[in-house]
Amino acid sequence: MHYLLIFITFLLTPFLAGGQHTIKKEFLIESSSMLTITGHSNVNTFICQTKNYSACDTLEYKMNEETYAVYLVKNKMTTPVDDFDCGNSLMTKDFLETLDHEKHPLLSIQFLSLQGIENTASSPVFGKVKIHLAGEAKDYSITFTVTHATEGTISLSGTQTLKFSDFKLTPPRKMMGLVQVKEKLEVNFLINLRPL
């Protein structure tokens, strides 16, 4: 009986382990990656974007080859708040002060999930991210468009609306309150990943 159990276990092992086959992939977040923030006031629209992504962060995940389920191992990108440029020195200064850049100099995005990143078709990637800004953190669900380019590179692009109040910030007001920045902001992500 003992030998029969061993024999049965031997036969079933490939089937039992089949769902456990995973592959690991690691990507460098390239300097061409960019965050763009679009805001509106009662006077005009302003656009602030990162000059370049200077960090050497990596994104690493393990994927089940059968279910395509993705488990993120390394999942954070960080950029100095001072890297944002609004195209006008006074506007940039006001924007950085609003984000409390001296006390909280870093903005980070933590990827909690990226469902469908391995799909080579034009289907969307459903992601969840946690944005850390001005000492606060908030989760968002974002639908990314994925582009698989040459040599295994991947580009993720997506848009998310957030509010100053999500991070306990107050929209700036200038000229005795005559210029009022609206509460909502639109953040555009462009994340370029190069395989390592």
Side-chain angles (χ1 to χ4, degrees):
M1 182 68 176
H2 176 69
Y3 292 106
L4 179 61
L5 288 174
I6 293 175
F7 180 69
I8 292 173
T9 301
F10 176 77
L11 289 177
L12 291 177
T13 295
F15 299 100
L16 295 173
Q20 302 302 317
H21 291 174
T22 59
I23 57 174
K24 183 177 78 170
K25 292 194 175 183
E26 187 174 10
F27 296 87
L28 175 69
I29 301 175
E30 293 197 297
S31 60
S32 56
S33 299
M34 185 181 300
L35 297 176
T36 303
I37 296 177
T38 303
H40 305 276
S41 74
N42 58 330
V43 175
N44 60 10
T45 296
F46 63 91
I47 297 174
C48 304
Q49 64 183 21
T50 52
K51 302 166 191 172
N52 56 40
Y53 185 70
S54 56
C56 294
D57 292 330
T58 57
L59 180 69
E60 181 181 332
Y61 62 83
K62 294 180 179 179
M63 185 190 70
N64 186 300
E65 290 184 293
E66 292 184 355
T67 64
Y68 295 100
V70 170
Y71 170 70
L72 291 159
V73 180
K74 296 179 182 177
N75 65 345
K76 184 180 285 187
M77 61 181 292
T78 302
T79 188
V81 175
D82 285 352
D83 276 358
F84 280 99
D85 184 353
C86 302
N88 174 290
S89 58
L90 292 177
M91 189 177 296
T92 299
K93 181 175 180 291
D94 290 344
F95 183 72
L96 297 181
E97 287 178 354
T98 299
L99 299 186
D100 200 8
H101 70 119
E102 291 187 355
K103 187 176 180 181
H104 302 285
L106 297 176
L107 178 154
S108 67
I109 300 170
Q110 184 178 1
F111 296 91
L112 305 178
S113 67
L114 287 170
Q115 179 185 348
I117 191 171
E118 284 291 326
N119 293 344
T120 55
S122 58
S123 55
V125 173
F126 301 103
K128 289 185 179 180
V129 302
K130 183 185 290 289
I131 298 178
H132 301 258
L133 176 65
E136 301 293 329
K138 187 171 176 63
D139 293 355
Y140 298 93
S141 295
I142 302 176
T143 300
F144 291 100
T145 299
V146 61
T147 303
H148 292 263
T150 58
E151 300 179 350
T153 59
I154 297 175
S155 292
L156 293 170
S157 58
T159 302
Q160 175 63 43
T161 299
L162 53 82
K163 297 184 290 186
F164 282 103
S165 58
D166 290 345
F167 303 95
K168 299 182 180 179
L169 298 172
T170 302
R173 294 189 177 191
K174 294 297 177 182
M175 297 176 61
M176 301 177 64
L178 295 178
V179 179
Q180 301 179 10
V181 174
K182 296 181 180 180
E183 169 76 341
K184 290 185 178 181
L185 298 167
E186 184 178 273
V187 180
N188 290 284
F189 302 82
L190 175 60
I191 301 163
N192 296 318
L193 305 171
R194 177 168 56 83
L196 294 175

